[in-house]
Short mmCIF file of all heavy atoms in Angstrom, two decimals:
data_model
loop_
_atom_site.label_atom_id
_atom_site.label_comp_id
_atom_site.label_asym_id
_atom_site.label_seq_id
_atom_site.Cartn_x
_atom_site.Cartn_y
_atom_site.Cartn_z
N LEU A 1 -2.75 -0.24 -21.60
CA LEU A 1 -3.67 -0.83 -20.76
C LEU A 1 -3.12 -1.97 -19.94
O LEU A 1 -3.33 -2.21 -18.76
CB LEU A 1 -4.86 -1.41 -21.68
CG LEU A 1 -5.96 -2.07 -20.89
CD1 LEU A 1 -6.71 -1.25 -20.02
CD2 LEU A 1 -6.97 -2.69 -21.96
N ARG A 2 -2.20 -2.77 -20.57
CA ARG A 2 -1.52 -3.82 -19.80
C ARG A 2 -0.73 -3.34 -18.76
O ARG A 2 -0.74 -3.84 -17.61
CB ARG A 2 -0.65 -4.71 -20.86
CG ARG A 2 -1.45 -5.68 -21.70
CD ARG A 2 -0.52 -6.67 -22.36
NE ARG A 2 0.57 -6.10 -23.15
CZ ARG A 2 0.44 -5.74 -24.46
NH1 ARG A 2 -0.64 -6.16 -25.09
NH2 ARG A 2 1.53 -5.23 -25.15
N ARG A 3 -0.07 -2.20 -19.02
CA ARG A 3 0.89 -1.68 -17.98
C ARG A 3 -0.11 -1.14 -16.84
O ARG A 3 0.31 -1.20 -15.58
CB ARG A 3 1.73 -0.52 -18.52
CG ARG A 3 2.91 -1.07 -19.35
CD ARG A 3 3.95 -0.16 -19.70
NE ARG A 3 5.01 -0.73 -20.42
CZ ARG A 3 6.17 -0.11 -20.65
NH1 ARG A 3 6.52 1.01 -20.03
NH2 ARG A 3 7.03 -0.74 -21.37
N PHE A 4 -1.16 -0.53 -17.21
CA PHE A 4 -1.96 0.06 -16.09
C PHE A 4 -2.53 -1.03 -15.23
O PHE A 4 -2.70 -0.88 -13.97
CB PHE A 4 -3.15 0.82 -16.81
CG PHE A 4 -4.07 1.58 -15.76
CD1 PHE A 4 -3.62 2.57 -15.07
CD2 PHE A 4 -5.30 1.09 -15.51
CE1 PHE A 4 -4.32 3.21 -14.09
CE2 PHE A 4 -6.19 1.79 -14.71
CZ PHE A 4 -5.55 2.88 -13.95
N ILE A 5 -3.06 -2.18 -15.86
CA ILE A 5 -3.57 -3.25 -15.08
C ILE A 5 -2.39 -3.80 -14.17
O ILE A 5 -2.62 -4.09 -12.94
CB ILE A 5 -3.97 -4.40 -16.02
CG1 ILE A 5 -5.34 -3.93 -16.76
CG2 ILE A 5 -4.35 -5.69 -15.24
CD1 ILE A 5 -5.70 -4.85 -17.80
N PHE A 6 -1.16 -3.85 -14.66
CA PHE A 6 -0.02 -4.29 -13.92
C PHE A 6 0.22 -3.43 -12.73
O PHE A 6 0.48 -3.85 -11.61
CB PHE A 6 1.21 -4.37 -14.68
CG PHE A 6 2.52 -4.77 -14.05
CD1 PHE A 6 2.82 -6.06 -13.76
CD2 PHE A 6 3.38 -3.72 -13.47
CE1 PHE A 6 3.86 -6.36 -12.95
CE2 PHE A 6 4.47 -4.08 -12.75
CZ PHE A 6 4.76 -5.35 -12.52
N LEU A 7 0.01 -2.05 -12.89
CA LEU A 7 0.24 -1.12 -11.81
C LEU A 7 -0.76 -1.37 -10.77
O LEU A 7 -0.55 -1.27 -9.54
CB LEU A 7 0.05 0.31 -12.39
CG LEU A 7 1.21 0.77 -13.30
CD1 LEU A 7 0.94 2.11 -13.90
CD2 LEU A 7 2.54 0.81 -12.66
N LEU A 8 -2.09 -1.71 -11.04
CA LEU A 8 -3.01 -1.93 -10.17
C LEU A 8 -2.75 -3.23 -9.31
O LEU A 8 -2.89 -3.16 -8.13
CB LEU A 8 -4.37 -2.12 -10.90
CG LEU A 8 -5.06 -0.91 -11.52
CD1 LEU A 8 -6.36 -1.30 -12.24
CD2 LEU A 8 -5.31 0.33 -10.47
N ILE A 9 -2.23 -4.15 -9.99
CA ILE A 9 -1.82 -5.37 -9.26
C ILE A 9 -0.71 -5.10 -8.42
O ILE A 9 -0.75 -5.56 -7.15
CB ILE A 9 -1.47 -6.56 -10.29
CG1 ILE A 9 -2.78 -7.02 -11.20
CG2 ILE A 9 -0.99 -7.76 -9.55
CD1 ILE A 9 -2.38 -7.91 -12.22
N LEU A 10 0.35 -4.41 -8.85
CA LEU A 10 1.44 -4.09 -8.09
C LEU A 10 1.05 -3.21 -6.86
O LEU A 10 1.61 -3.38 -5.90
CB LEU A 10 2.45 -3.33 -8.90
CG LEU A 10 3.81 -2.85 -8.21
CD1 LEU A 10 4.43 -4.06 -7.74
CD2 LEU A 10 4.61 -2.04 -9.06
N ALA A 11 0.20 -2.23 -7.00
CA ALA A 11 -0.33 -1.44 -5.92
C ALA A 11 -0.86 -2.27 -4.80
O ALA A 11 -0.60 -2.02 -3.62
CB ALA A 11 -1.28 -0.38 -6.39
N GLY A 12 -1.58 -3.31 -5.26
CA GLY A 12 -2.16 -4.26 -4.18
C GLY A 12 -1.06 -4.97 -3.52
O GLY A 12 -1.19 -5.23 -2.17
N LEU A 13 -0.02 -5.36 -4.24
CA LEU A 13 1.07 -6.14 -3.57
C LEU A 13 1.81 -5.19 -2.62
O LEU A 13 2.18 -5.63 -1.46
CB LEU A 13 1.91 -6.75 -4.74
CG LEU A 13 1.44 -7.83 -5.47
CD1 LEU A 13 2.30 -8.23 -6.63
CD2 LEU A 13 1.14 -9.12 -4.59
N LEU A 14 2.06 -4.00 -3.03
CA LEU A 14 2.77 -3.15 -2.24
C LEU A 14 2.04 -2.86 -0.92
O LEU A 14 2.52 -2.60 0.15
CB LEU A 14 3.12 -1.82 -2.99
CG LEU A 14 4.16 -2.04 -4.16
CD1 LEU A 14 4.36 -0.75 -4.81
CD2 LEU A 14 5.52 -2.50 -3.69
N ARG A 15 0.74 -2.63 -1.21
CA ARG A 15 -0.13 -2.26 0.06
C ARG A 15 -0.05 -3.48 1.00
O ARG A 15 -0.06 -3.26 2.28
CB ARG A 15 -1.43 -2.03 -0.34
CG ARG A 15 -1.81 -0.64 -0.84
CD ARG A 15 -3.22 -0.27 -0.81
NE ARG A 15 -3.96 -1.22 -1.64
CZ ARG A 15 -4.21 -1.13 -2.98
NH1 ARG A 15 -3.75 0.06 -3.63
NH2 ARG A 15 -4.96 -2.05 -3.62
N GLY A 16 0.03 -4.70 0.50
CA GLY A 16 0.03 -5.87 1.38
C GLY A 16 1.46 -6.01 2.08
O GLY A 16 1.49 -6.69 3.09
N SER A 17 2.45 -5.34 1.65
CA SER A 17 3.70 -5.37 2.38
C SER A 17 3.75 -4.42 3.45
O SER A 17 4.82 -4.42 4.26
CB SER A 17 4.85 -5.04 1.43
OG SER A 17 4.88 -3.66 1.18
N ILE A 18 2.86 -3.68 3.83
CA ILE A 18 2.86 -2.71 4.87
C ILE A 18 2.06 -3.25 6.09
O ILE A 18 0.83 -3.70 5.88
CB ILE A 18 2.27 -1.28 4.39
CG1 ILE A 18 3.08 -0.79 3.21
CG2 ILE A 18 2.27 -0.35 5.58
CD1 ILE A 18 2.58 0.45 2.65
N LEU A 19 2.70 -3.15 7.18
CA LEU A 19 2.05 -3.70 8.38
C LEU A 19 0.91 -2.80 8.92
O LEU A 19 0.88 -1.56 8.54
CB LEU A 19 3.06 -3.98 9.54
CG LEU A 19 4.26 -4.92 9.24
CD1 LEU A 19 5.24 -4.79 10.33
CD2 LEU A 19 3.61 -6.24 8.94
N PRO A 20 -0.16 -3.38 9.51
CA PRO A 20 -1.25 -2.63 9.95
C PRO A 20 -0.67 -1.44 11.02
O PRO A 20 0.32 -1.72 11.68
CB PRO A 20 -2.14 -3.54 10.70
CG PRO A 20 -1.77 -4.87 10.15
CD PRO A 20 -0.35 -4.72 9.75
N PRO A 21 -1.37 -0.35 11.01
CA PRO A 21 -0.82 0.61 11.91
C PRO A 21 -0.89 0.23 13.35
O PRO A 21 -1.91 -0.53 13.82
CB PRO A 21 -1.71 1.77 11.64
CG PRO A 21 -2.98 1.26 10.91
CD PRO A 21 -2.48 0.12 10.25
N THR A 22 0.01 0.64 14.21
CA THR A 22 -0.04 0.31 15.64
C THR A 22 -0.51 1.58 16.39
O THR A 22 -0.80 2.54 15.74
CB THR A 22 1.41 -0.09 16.09
OG1 THR A 22 2.29 1.13 15.92
CG2 THR A 22 2.00 -1.14 15.35
N ASP A 23 -0.81 1.32 17.75
CA ASP A 23 -1.22 2.38 18.56
C ASP A 23 -0.16 3.47 18.56
O ASP A 23 -0.38 4.73 18.58
CB ASP A 23 -1.29 1.99 19.92
CG ASP A 23 -2.60 1.08 20.11
OD1 ASP A 23 -3.50 1.01 19.18
OD2 ASP A 23 -2.75 0.33 21.10
N GLN A 24 1.17 3.03 18.41
CA GLN A 24 2.29 4.00 18.36
C GLN A 24 2.12 4.86 17.11
O GLN A 24 2.36 6.10 17.08
CB GLN A 24 3.68 3.42 18.40
CG GLN A 24 4.88 4.10 18.04
CD GLN A 24 5.36 4.95 19.36
OE1 GLN A 24 4.53 5.13 20.24
NE2 GLN A 24 6.64 5.23 19.30
N THR A 25 1.82 4.21 15.99
CA THR A 25 1.64 4.85 14.69
C THR A 25 0.61 6.01 14.85
O THR A 25 0.72 7.12 14.44
CB THR A 25 1.38 3.98 13.58
OG1 THR A 25 2.37 2.96 13.37
CG2 THR A 25 1.16 4.64 12.26
N GLU A 26 -0.52 5.66 15.41
CA GLU A 26 -1.64 6.71 15.52
C GLU A 26 -1.38 7.88 16.53
O GLU A 26 -1.69 9.01 16.27
CB GLU A 26 -2.82 5.89 15.96
CG GLU A 26 -3.48 5.02 15.02
CD GLU A 26 -3.75 5.69 13.68
OE1 GLU A 26 -4.21 6.93 13.72
OE2 GLU A 26 -3.36 5.13 12.71
N ARG A 27 -0.53 7.47 17.53
CA ARG A 27 0.03 8.65 18.38
C ARG A 27 0.84 9.48 17.72
O ARG A 27 0.84 10.75 17.90
CB ARG A 27 0.59 7.93 19.64
CG ARG A 27 -0.29 7.30 20.67
CD ARG A 27 0.31 7.05 22.00
NE ARG A 27 1.44 6.15 21.92
CZ ARG A 27 1.29 4.80 22.04
NH1 ARG A 27 0.15 4.36 22.39
NH2 ARG A 27 2.31 3.95 22.03
N VAL A 28 1.86 8.95 16.83
CA VAL A 28 2.73 9.90 16.07
C VAL A 28 1.87 10.68 15.10
O VAL A 28 2.00 11.78 14.95
CB VAL A 28 3.83 8.98 15.48
CG1 VAL A 28 4.44 9.93 14.47
CG2 VAL A 28 4.66 8.39 16.39
N ARG A 29 0.99 10.02 14.40
CA ARG A 29 0.26 10.76 13.42
C ARG A 29 -0.82 11.77 14.03
O ARG A 29 -1.17 12.68 13.12
CB ARG A 29 -0.57 9.68 12.69
CG ARG A 29 0.22 8.78 11.74
CD ARG A 29 -0.55 8.20 10.65
NE ARG A 29 -1.12 9.16 9.71
CZ ARG A 29 -2.23 9.03 9.08
NH1 ARG A 29 -3.03 7.89 9.31
NH2 ARG A 29 -2.66 9.91 8.05
N ALA A 30 -0.99 11.75 15.25
CA ALA A 30 -1.80 12.87 15.86
C ALA A 30 -1.06 14.21 15.80
O ALA A 30 -1.61 15.18 15.59
CB ALA A 30 -1.88 12.59 17.31
#
């Protein structure tokens, strides 16, 4: 349980390290 909670916290931190998508990102993802 402790490790799972840690994973949830880490997932939030990792998501925070990713910059918001740019217009270029969306054009590539098309």
